[in-house]
Amino acid sequence: MSNWQIFLVFVGAIVVILWAVRVEPASRRSRIETDAKAILDRIQTPIPAPTAPVKPGDFFNIHGRGEFNVHVAGSSHCQDALLNICGGKHAKSGWHKHVEATLIREPENPHDRNAVRVEIDGKKVGYIPAEMAPLFDHLVQNIPLVCHFKVPALVVGGWHNEVEDDGFFGVRLDM
């Protein structure tokens, strides 16, 4: 093989690799971005500013369509809190527990000024994914920072069976 032919094979291999990366199945990030776009399509305008004075800890309710399509990030680091919320692991099938989550903006968060903490029963269970936090910020831009938001949530997973197979808990929000 000549140097020219080796070069063409090399370039062809690079083209195939780049094409394969381009058509690879949707990654978690693209799924989150797709979810964010779907939510933005439903919520074109921000929540209107309150007409009455608000005080720290006031709540606003956010309701979705019952799809629970927003996966809470970081719940793997909050397994003890989720175990406490559910009262233990559930044999074989795991949990599908409907709860109410509280969303709290964290503009002082050193990692992300748009961070939105998710709590259930006063226990941190994770954050809204970083890719969706700016969307949430747009939605609530007229609401004072001292206010929190209530949203339906679903705790899933958390199974345990006899063969030492344990499932992690996860949380999904209905926004």
Side-chain angles (χ1 to χ4, degrees):
M1 244 193 203
S2 71
N3 286 342
W4 180 248
Q5 289 172 323
I6 292 172
F7 174 76
L8 287 177
V9 169
F10 179 75
V11 169
I14 290 175
V15 169
V16 168
I17 290 169
L18 291 175
W19 181 82
V21 169
R22 184 183 59 81
V23 297
E24 147 184 316
S27 67
R28 179 180 181 276
R29 179 174 297 275
S30 66
R31 178 180 48 82
I32 289 170
E33 289 168 352
T34 301
D35 289 346
K37 288 176 186 169
I39 292 169
L40 187 58
D41 287 344
R42 291 198 309 262
I43 307 168
Q44 292 297 324
T45 57
I47 296 172
T51 55
V54 296
K55 56 188 179 296
D58 279 353
F59 290 98
F60 288 81
N61 292 314
I62 298 175
H63 297 285
R65 297 180 176 175
E67 297 170 351
F68 297 93
N69 58 349
V70 177
H71 295 257
V72 173
S75 59
S76 64
H77 303 289
C78 304
Q79 294 298 298
D80 289 339
L82 290 163
L83 185 67
N84 184 274
I85 290 163
C86 289
K89 294 211 172 187
H90 193 277
K92 296 187 182 175
S93 63
W95 287 97
H96 275 77
K97 183 174 184 171
H98 290 267
V99 295
E100 185 175 65
T102 303
L103 307 181
I104 302 168
R105 292 177 282 183
E106 290 186 347
E108 294 87 24
N109 186 306
H111 304 289
D112 181 1
R113 69 177 189 81
N114 290 321
V116 180
R117 185 174 69 241
V118 180
E119 293 184 356
I120 298 174
D121 295 340
K123 298 169 186 67
K124 181 176 96 170
V125 297
Y127 286 85
I128 288 182
E131 297 85 358
M132 295 187 80
L135 169 66
F136 183 79
D137 192 50
H138 169 75
L139 173 66
V140 300
Q141 67 185 345
N142 296 323
I143 308 298
L145 277 172
V146 297
C147 297
H148 302 162
F149 303 87
K150 295 286 187 178
V151 60
L154 183 65
V155 178
V156 297
W159 66 84
H160 174 76
N161 61 35
E162 295 79 29
V163 292
E164 301 300 321
D165 181 26
D166 284 342
F168 281 108
F169 290 100
V171 180
R172 299 180 194 160
L173 303 175
D174 182 25
M175 294 178 59

